[in-house]
Amino acid sequence: MSLIERLTRATLCLHLAPHGLHGVLRRAGRPVSDSTFHLPIANPDASWEVALAALRGWLEQHNEKKLPLAVSLASRWCAMLMVPWSGALLDAASAQRFLHSQFAAVYGDGARAWRLAADDAPYGKPRLACGTDAGLLQGVQDAAAAHGRRLLSIEPIAGPAWRSIAAGKPAAFALVEAGRLLLATTGGGRITGLHSQSCGAAWSDELDRAWRRWNLRAPQLDAIEQVALLDLSGEPQDALPARFQPVAVASAAHLIREAAWA
């Protein structure tokens, strides 16, 4: 790729959540001034079908430029799991069977209809895996294709959230979305452990309780004094537990940089 191509390359970054579609244009890796948008979605049941229809409608109305898309999905629709190392992960076919068995053990037989992917951890190390309804992923792919858009990536928002703060090497981070919170430990440039659960609008108290409950299963958390906090909930809190240090986030779409999950 030439220097001119690198400087002019643009990507439309989209984040699809139950109650909104967020977007920002990135050119040469940087957000373009005044390109941010937010489309509210009336979706009381948090259905991905309703959100997907909103995405299709937005693409239909904004189809003048065929910019490539990078899409992240709300954690509500992405089941995350740390899976143990297995030699089965070295082959694509056996890796899918292994991942489906791991997800089915935790989430039930319904997980066998999900599309699964795992990160590329070092040999012998546990891997971070994600399971998403195949219909949702196919729907996003079809929506992009219907409007001549190249789809660079679809991934859970946890990926962009981590990459946005990875340079600071936090030992752990918390990601809060509307109705959902995720806690993760990190090391060696990747996520090494996680805990995910639902939460209410007054999530600050639940955040600390969730950390303490996780600590009962993972005593090594005692050594972590500070946790980076990314708040995408849209619900400001009066006070936060001292352990959690807020990181400024313009929007969920702004977290998307390079792609890690295709």
Side-chain angles (χ1 to χ4, degrees):
M1 181 181 293
S2 70
L3 176 61
I4 292 177
E5 287 174 322
R6 287 199 300 270
L7 292 176
T8 58
R9 182 177 57 184
T11 300
L12 182 58
C13 300
L14 301 176
H15 175 67
L16 188 61
H19 306 296
L21 174 66
H22 297 262
V24 67
L25 180 65
R26 278 189 178 272
R27 192 180 301 279
R30 296 179 178 275
V32 174
S33 178
D34 300 324
S35 67
T36 302
F37 74 88
H38 172 222
L39 173 68
I41 301 174
N43 189 9
D45 295 327
S47 161
W48 64 256
E49 288 92 344
V50 172
L52 181 59
L55 171 63
R56 292 194 190 103
W58 190 91
L59 290 173
E60 179 69 35
Q61 295 173 19
H62 300 80
N63 200 33
E64 60 281 358
K65 293 183 179 180
K66 307 292 186 180
L67 295 173
L69 306 177
V71 180
S72 68
L73 301 174
S75 296
R76 177 184 291 269
W77 301 321
C78 300
M80 308 292 290
L81 195 64
M82 294 299 303
V83 299
W85 167 255
S86 168
L89 293 168
L90 297 176
D91 175 76
S94 61
Q96 282 296 300
R97 291 193 294 271
F98 174 71
L99 291 175
H100 275 112
S101 69
Q102 293 293 310
F103 274 81
V106 176
Y107 295 102
D109 286 341
R112 297 188 182 278
W114 296 348
R115 196 175 300 176
L116 306 177
D119 71 353
D120 190 19
Y123 183 92
K125 298 291 186 180
R127 294 191 174 187
L128 177 64
C130 175
T132 310
D133 192 292
L136 171 56
L137 294 183
Q138 190 63 54
V140 174
Q141 292 170 341
D142 291 346
H147 297 288
R149 305 267 196 165
R150 187 159 62 100
L151 188 59
L152 302 177
S153 62
I154 311 176
E155 61 178 327
I157 189 59
W162 162 235
R163 295 197 300 277
S164 73
I165 60 173
K169 298 182 179 179
F173 73 92
L175 174 65
V176 184
E177 303 163 75
R180 199 79 195 164
L181 69 83
L182 180 145
L183 303 170
T185 54
T186 68
R190 55 187 300 272
I191 294 173
T192 57
L194 60 82
H195 167 83
S196 180
Q197 66 175 67
S198 60
C199 66
W203 51 262
S204 60
D205 291 338
E206 183 57 34
L207 187 62
D208 196 46
R209 289 196 296 269
W211 180 268
R212 286 187 272 110
R213 283 197 298 271
W214 192 23
N215 198 171
L216 294 176
R217 306 194 309 274
Q220 65 271 23
L221 298 182
D222 278 336
I224 299 176
E225 297 180 354
Q226 291 191 343
V227 180
L229 171 63
L230 298 98
D231 175 17
L232 303 177
S233 71
E235 298 284 353
Q237 305 295 294
D238 292 333
L240 291 170
R243 183 193 313 274
F244 297 92
Q245 303 297 309
V247 176
V249 180
S251 80
H254 280 77
L255 297 175
I256 303 173
R257 299 182 184 184
E258 75 284 0
W261 305 65

